[in-house]
Amino acid sequence: MALGTVTASYELRFDTGRVCLDLLATAHPGERLGSVDALRAWITGAGLVPDGTPLAHADPSWLDAFRELRSHLVPLVRAPGSPSQGPALARVNDLARSAPPAPRAVPGADGTLVVRRLDGPPGRDALVGAVARDAVDLLTDPAARASVRQCEGDNCPIVYVDTSRGRRRRWCSSEVCGNRERVARHRRRTAALTRA
């Protein structure tokens, strides 16, 4: 993807069960945060800001900040206990200190308070901090941490929270990796039958 192009919405994934894991997914199969426009789409899609929140003030430093956080999440989520975990944890904890964007309730057309807006344009550090806090929450919640799974799809590094009944989810997405596995299984059976 060329710099300056917007990532199509179908390329951004929000199916891992946690915003911090959704950020990790932006590195697979290639860099999905290749532009500030793609990052803006991800921030909105991840629910860090309400729909319609202006993010025109985002600049390339935002890309650097989100990618830095993502790089520190890798050893914490995918390789707990690795030597790089100490510095990564220290940096994630540091990033989590930023105050979150301040929400406010706004009356809808009928006067009920159903619309949520931010008090002002969200800052880069506030949004990065929100993702870092989500990672801290995930890593310190024993039940959530025990539900973190690695996708069983071929060459898929996506990590997700398994909230399925019986905790038997195998793929990051049934539509993506699950479908690939079913197609591959069908091809293997068909090839075995033609050889027989």
Side-chain angles (χ1 to χ4, degrees):
M1 173 171 54
L3 284 178
T5 61
V6 178
T7 302
S9 62
Y10 67 86
E11 292 179 345
L12 295 172
R13 301 201 37 193
F14 305 102
D15 55 2
T16 67
R18 296 299 288 248
V19 71
C20 63
L21 300 180
D22 287 341
L23 180 61
L24 280 178
T26 62
H28 177 70
E31 180 59 68
R32 293 180 185 243
L33 298 181
S35 69
V36 175
D37 287 338
L39 177 61
R40 287 182 188 120
W42 184 85
I43 288 169
T44 301
L48 292 174
V49 298
D51 283 338
T53 300
L55 294 170
H57 60 291
D59 62 37
S61 73
W62 288 45
L63 280 172
D64 295 338
F66 277 89
R67 288 176 182 163
E68 178 200 2
L69 173 57
R70 184 179 66 193
S71 73
H72 293 301
L73 293 175
V74 171
L76 297 175
V77 173
R78 293 193 181 135
S82 71
S84 60
Q85 185 170 350
L89 183 58
R91 185 63 180 140
V92 169
N93 283 334
D94 186 47
L95 292 169
R97 290 183 185 148
S98 295
R104 62 187 174 98
V106 178
D110 64 356
T112 59
L113 298 177
V114 295
V115 179
R116 182 176 71 97
R117 298 282 180 246
L118 296 183
D119 198 34
R124 177 196 70 197
D125 294 344
L127 295 173
V128 169
V131 180
R133 274 188 301 286
D134 181 61
V136 169
D137 289 344
L138 172 66
L139 297 169
T140 59
D141 178 342
R145 183 75 181 132
S147 297
V148 172
R149 305 280 186 270
Q150 168 75 44
C151 180
E152 293 181 21
D154 284 340
N155 302 315
C156 183
I158 302 291
V159 179
Y160 60 90
V161 176
D162 182 2
T163 57
S164 67
R165 177 184 269 170
R167 305 287 190 255
R168 293 185 290 200
R169 182 174 162 190
R170 297 179 52 206
W171 304 294
C172 60
S173 167
S174 182
E175 292 80 26
V176 179
C177 288
N179 191 49
R180 283 187 204 135
E181 178 62 28
R182 288 185 289 274
V183 168
R185 196 175 333 148
H186 173 74
R187 287 181 180 157
R188 286 190 300 269
R189 276 194 302 254
T190 302
L193 289 173
T194 57
R195 280 184 251 147

